[in-house]
């Protein structure tokens, strides 16, 4: 188990995955996958997106989540 996260390295990895990529959902999917992989002690990593005044589940890794908040 990796108890220490190198946040500088993770930030560089996220930048390399997303810089110059214009696809929001694809970027969020890769970010959530990288966060999930880098952080052993989390059970969920992802995003909710604002849709029509409510938060709707977006790309994520981990346990199932509520679709709307």
């Amino acid at each position: 188990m990796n108890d220490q996260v190198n946040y500088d390295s993770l930030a560089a990895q996220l930048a390399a995955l997303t810089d110059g990529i214009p696809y929001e959902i694809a970027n969020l999917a890769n970010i959530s996958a990288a966060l999930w992989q880098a952080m052993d002690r989390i059970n969920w990593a992802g995003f909710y997106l604002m849709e029509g005044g409510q938060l709707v589940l977006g790309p994520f890794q981990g346990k199932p989540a509520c679709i709307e908040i």
Side-chain angles (χ1 to χ4, degrees):
M1 184 177 292
N2 178 12
D3 289 338
Q4 298 294 322
V5 176
N6 182 330
Y7 291 103
D8 290 334
S9 176
L10 181 57
Q13 179 185 6
L14 296 177
L17 284 171
T18 60
D19 281 353
I21 307 298
Y23 308 108
E24 177 183 30
I25 299 299
N27 285 335
L28 295 176
N30 270 338
I31 291 168
S32 65
L35 292 172
W36 176 257
Q37 185 176 21
M39 299 179 178
D40 291 337
R41 293 182 178 242
I42 61 173
N43 64 27
W44 194 92
F47 299 91
Y48 279 86
L49 306 173
M50 186 63 72
E51 299 279 343
Q54 68 182 9
L55 293 173
V56 178
L57 183 63
F60 75 97
Q61 302 282 313
K63 296 183 178 186
C66 296
I67 294 174
E68 299 173 331
I69 297 178

